[in-house]
Amino acid sequence: MAHGHGPGRCRCCGEEAAAERGAAWGLYLRIDRQRLQCLNERREGSGATVFRPWEERGDRSQFVESDDDEELLFNIPFTGSVKLKGVIVMGEDDGTHPAEMRLFRNVPHMSFDDTAKEPEQSFSLSRDPLGELEYPTKIARFSSVHHLSMHFPKNFGAETTKIFYIGLKGEWTEAHRHEVTICNYEASANPADHKLEQITPQTHFIS
């Protein structure tokens, strides 16, 4: 239903805009959390908590802090193919906020030794205690991402680094496995086996 607007923006329009922006940062839903890694996290499992809804980025009770030094490294596997368009990194307004971010594409199980290689893209970060600054990626380099590694090599001078929220914006496409089904059919020369194989792949995908 149409509605009139006063001098300022109406509340419903503001809520719609917020909902749209929140939906744009929904790639956290496409992370394979069972295989997500955060290296050098002080508290085990805390790295996964920074990937959450955009609307909950202000929850200061959930954060990851580095342990031995200021470095943090995230290995983020997705459940399909991702076109990554932007990143938000939210921390404290002090020396613990990360000062640099380096992104690597499709290098599973990266270690700190692996970060010596050239990243797909690197960013100099500004302190962002409210989660408002978006860092756009070079989409051509991040158009088919199955695994994303995020390396934070330094901060603004503190002994440890602290991150409250990481937002990932982009598009997700489901991984297809039709090739596997075709191989199953071609591998068998016995026509009688085909009846069974027509059932087996379907059962596999449903489970």
Side-chain angles (χ1 to χ4, degrees):
M1 180 181 292
H3 55 272
H5 286 216
R9 188 171 61 178
C10 67
R11 176 176 296 180
C12 60
C13 289
E15 291 174 350
E16 288 174 4
E20 287 179 5
R21 185 172 187 193
W25 294 92
L27 281 184
Y28 73 95
L29 293 168
R30 306 304 184 181
I31 295 174
D32 184 348
R33 289 182 177 270
Q34 297 297 320
R35 298 191 295 127
L36 186 148
Q37 291 180 319
C38 180
L39 305 187
N40 197 37
E41 59 183 3
R42 175 168 293 183
R43 182 168 52 86
E44 185 176 355
S46 58
T49 67
V50 304
F51 300 97
R52 58 181 185 269
W54 181 81
E55 298 84 358
E56 298 177 12
R57 68 196 186 285
D59 181 359
R60 314 296 285 190
S61 67
Q62 299 187 78
F63 62 88
V64 61
E65 186 174 5
S66 62
D67 191 12
D68 294 330
D69 53 30
E70 71 275 21
E71 284 191 87
L72 283 170
L73 175 62
F74 292 87
N75 283 312
I76 309 163
F78 295 104
T79 58
S81 179
V82 164
K83 180 186 290 185
L84 183 67
K85 297 181 177 181
V87 180
I88 289 176
V89 180
M90 175 181 161
E92 294 277 24
D93 192 14
D94 61 17
T96 65
H97 195 293
E100 183 180 346
M101 173 175 64
R102 306 169 75 239
L103 302 182
F104 299 85
R105 177 178 66 93
N106 298 338
V107 188
H109 310 297
M110 276 194 72
S111 67
F112 285 110
D113 291 338
D114 298 324
T115 61
K117 65 175 64 178
E118 189 71 20
E120 298 291 339
Q121 192 171 357
S122 60
F123 302 84
S124 294
L125 304 180
S126 299
R127 292 185 181 93
D128 185 15
L130 299 178
E132 296 177 333
L133 301 179
E134 176 183 342
Y135 299 93
T137 62
K138 297 176 181 177
I139 297 178
R141 296 188 181 184
F142 295 95
S143 61
S144 183
V145 181
H146 304 282
H147 184 283
L148 177 69
S149 295
M150 309 179 73
H151 179 218
F152 299 93
K154 61 183 180 179
N155 56 27
F156 285 94
E159 292 184 1
T160 61
T161 295
K162 187 181 290 187
I163 298 175
F164 287 90
Y165 169 79
I166 294 178
L168 302 175
K169 183 173 75 171
E171 302 172 6
W172 175 84
T173 305
E174 185 176 3
H176 296 292
R177 300 181 181 177
H178 296 303
E179 319 82 40
V180 178
T181 305
I182 293 170
C183 291
N184 285 344
Y185 285 113
E186 297 297 331
S188 176
N190 187 348
D193 292 339
H194 283 240
K195 294 180 180 179
L196 293 175
E197 292 188 2
Q198 287 173 352
I199 298 173
T200 303
Q202 295 176 4
T203 306
H204 171 73
F205 288 126
I206 293 172
S207 61

